[in-house]
Amino acid sequence: MCSSDLDDIAVATLLSLSADSKDRDVRGVVEAALANLSILSCSRANIVDTGAVGILKNMVGTKAVRAGTPSTADADARATVAHVLCNLTTMKINQPEMIKQQVDRVVHVLVEGADCIGREYLSLALANFACHERYHEVLATDPKAVGLKDLVALAKGPPDLASIDTKANVSCALSNLACSPDCCLALVEAGALKTLQALLEEDTLEIKKDAVIALCYLVVNEDTKGAAIEAGVIS
């Protein structure tokens, strides 16, 4: 039996357990097992197609995912899901299927109440998506489907929540998305202008650079030029 077959069996088992068991110890085993599968590069590329996103939805609460309300799962479960999301999005081969399975809804229920480390994982997951042209296509056609407001929200808050790493991830993601002309209007509608202006005030050069790149794209785009000028990006 090849490793992909073993991954399929493991994911099917974890999917069933995450859906059926309310026992915290059992769910803890599921969380640990999925985290391990997402860390190993040999299994990371196999498990999305066979149910990993379904497990993540079960872990944060399917009712919350459907309703778009904050997850009521415990802190350990939320932290593990954020970590797994980050691991899975590092492989471009996983991203189209994750988008198709609406993994953004999982991100959405985790943003509110996420701690500093959780925000770093979530922002990096979204930044990984922003490097993939498929994410840009979805964003341009259905802005509500990809968690843009969540990306913007992750950069807000005191340093003990919105760390330098989180802000760097958000700034990088926004600059990558803004380079696609069809994405610019969706970015402005999600509140990216204010976030980018705030990121310009950061001391970290990389954050400033990415924020400047994003704002330049928004200023020259015909659909967003007026909003950028009105926001005071240029005088």
Side-chain angles (χ1 to χ4, degrees), residues 8 26 31 49 55 66 104 117 124 187 189 209 221 224:
D8 292 350
V26 172
E31 293 161 15
D49 287 339
I55 299 171
R66 286 195 296 268
D104 58 287
I117 300 300
L124 184 53
L187 286 168
E189 290 177 345
K209 183 186 77 174
N221 185 280
T224 55

Side-chain angles (χ1 to χ4, degrees), residues 13-233:
T13 303
L14 296 176
L15 184 60
S16 176
L17 288 171
S18 66
D20 298 336
S21 179
K22 304 300 181 185
D23 185 278
R24 186 65 193 91
D25 290 337
V26 172
R27 297 182 73 83
V29 171
V30 172
E31 293 161 15
L34 186 62
N36 288 334
L37 288 171
S38 75
I39 291 170
L40 297 171
S41 58
C42 58
S43 56
R44 192 185 303 170
N46 300 328
I47 61 176
V48 169
D49 287 339
T50 54
V53 175
I55 299 171
L56 294 175
K57 290 178 179 179
N58 289 339
M59 287 167 65
V60 299
T62 53
K63 289 183 179 178
V65 172
R66 286 195 296 268
T69 54
S71 172
T72 57
D74 63 58
D76 288 342
R78 297 198 307 272
T80 300
V81 171
H83 190 189
V84 170
L85 279 170
C86 183
N87 289 339
L88 294 179
T89 57
T90 59
M91 300 196 72
K92 284 190 174 183
I93 193 173
N94 286 338
Q95 294 178 9
E97 184 62 26
M98 294 180 77
I99 292 170
K100 182 180 177 182
Q101 294 186 39
Q102 299 178 314
V103 77
D104 58 287
R105 295 189 180 186
V106 178
V107 174
H108 181 69
V109 304
L110 291 173
V111 169
E112 186 174 328
D115 62 12
C116 184
I117 300 300
R119 282 180 174 230
E120 289 178 4
Y121 284 140
L122 294 172
S123 61
L124 184 53
L126 292 174
N128 288 336
F129 275 127
C131 294
H132 197 295
E133 61 276 5
R134 175 58 183 153
Y135 185 92
H136 296 197
E137 292 172 18
V138 175
L139 176 61
T141 56
D142 188 4
K144 294 181 181 178
V146 288
L148 254 190
K149 289 184 178 178
D150 292 327
L151 176 64
V152 170
L154 287 167
K156 299 177 181 177
D160 61 332
L161 284 180
S163 69
I164 293 299
D165 286 342
T166 293
K167 291 177 180 179
N169 292 336
V170 172
S171 188
C172 177
L174 292 175
S175 69
N176 282 329
L177 293 169
C179 72
S180 295
D182 291 337
C183 293
C184 289
L185 185 58
L187 286 168
V188 169
E189 290 177 345
L193 282 172
K194 287 185 177 180
T195 296
L196 288 166
Q197 288 172 297
L199 291 171
L200 285 176
E201 303 301 318
E202 294 294 325
D203 294 330
T204 305
L205 182 60
E206 199 67 25
I207 294 176
K208 286 177 178 285
K209 183 186 77 174
D210 284 331
V212 167
I213 291 171
L215 288 169
C216 286
Y217 280 119
L218 296 177
V219 166
V220 300
N221 185 280
E222 289 298 323
D223 293 329
T224 55
K225 181 191 300 183
I229 294 173
E230 186 177 341
V233 175

